[in-house]
Amino acid sequence: MNIARLKNFTEIVKNNFNISATAEKLYTSQPTLSKQIKMLEDELGLALFIRKGKNLVGLTRAGEQVMELAKGVVAQVEQINQLSLGEQLATSSRWGSNWPPAGCCASPLPTLRRDTSYLR
């Protein structure tokens, strides 16, 4: 199961079932988002949304159950991402002012003096 699809699903619900607004918020297109939701429903073998024509108007009973679980999964993934980001920041700050080590970035080429004698 794709976590991005679960996040898309939860975002559609948060945006009152407005796929176009959700797509804009997620910097994607409405057809792409619709396709992702269809793929999630096919993968689960469940209808998640109540539809009225082409519009989404609510969640099915199964959709409500999936929503509760998906919110937890998305929140946990975000916590893992924050933990990862925090660790990266902690690792990078361990070096402090000692990074880069002295002399590591010195040019191996000698300093060249410009011959300006011809200018006189």
Side-chain angles (χ1 to χ4, degrees):
M1 182 173 307
N2 187 314
I3 293 171
R5 287 186 196 140
L6 287 177
K7 182 169 174 54
N8 292 343
F9 169 69
T10 62
E11 289 298 320
I12 289 170
V13 175
K14 286 179 190 175
N15 283 293
N16 297 315
F17 309 100
N18 186 327
I19 294 180
S20 296
T22 305
E24 187 174 324
K25 181 180 177 183
L26 296 175
Y27 303 104
T28 190
S29 68
Q30 179 273 323
T32 299
L33 191 55
S34 294
K35 193 177 296 183
Q36 291 294 315
I37 292 305
K38 176 74 170 120
M39 291 170 74
L40 179 62
E41 289 181 316
D42 289 347
E43 182 179 3
L44 296 174
L46 299 169
L48 300 175
F49 294 100
I50 298 169
R51 291 173 168 82
K52 190 171 188 178
K54 290 188 174 186
N55 296 324
L56 305 178
V57 295
L59 291 174
T60 63
R61 182 170 288 148
E64 291 173 0
Q65 292 174 333
V66 171
M67 180 62 183
E68 287 305 309
L69 295 170
K71 285 191 301 189
V73 169
V74 169
Q76 288 177 338
V77 168
E78 288 173 1
Q79 287 176 337
I80 291 169
N81 288 334
Q82 291 298 317
L83 178 67
S84 174
L85 178 61
E87 183 61 29
Q88 290 172 10
L89 291 174
T91 301
S92 66
S93 67
R94 283 186 201 139
W95 292 103
S97 62
N98 296 330
W99 188 258
C104 83
C105 300
S107 173
L109 300 175
T111 304
L112 301 176
R113 293 187 184 174
R114 185 183 283 170
D115 180 12
T116 58
S117 61
Y118 64 92
L119 294 175
R120 293 182 197 155

